[in-house]
Amino acid sequence: MNWWMCSECDYVLQAELPPEKCPSCHAECIFSDVTCYIPECGGVGRLDMKMVAEKAKADKNKIN
Ligand SMILES: [Zn+2]
């Protein structure tokens, strides 16, 4: 299972593959893989909180 984060609303969900539509904002958005692959962020298969924070920050700096 991987962790996915919505590029529109920062919603995070756990699934094998990212959904076509975000269950939170209902947009056909891009899902970023925020799964941890190293022990430093909690172990393989866990949610990488550092990546989530970075993505959330990057999304806020994005000019729409
Ligand atoms: Zn969303």
Side-chain angles (χ1 to χ4, degrees), residues 5-11 21-27 29 31:
M5 185 176 175
C6 173
S7 60
E8 292 295 320
C9 66
D10 297 344
Y11 180 76
K21 275 189 183 177
C22 175
S24 179
C25 65
H26 305 287
C29 44
F31 276 87

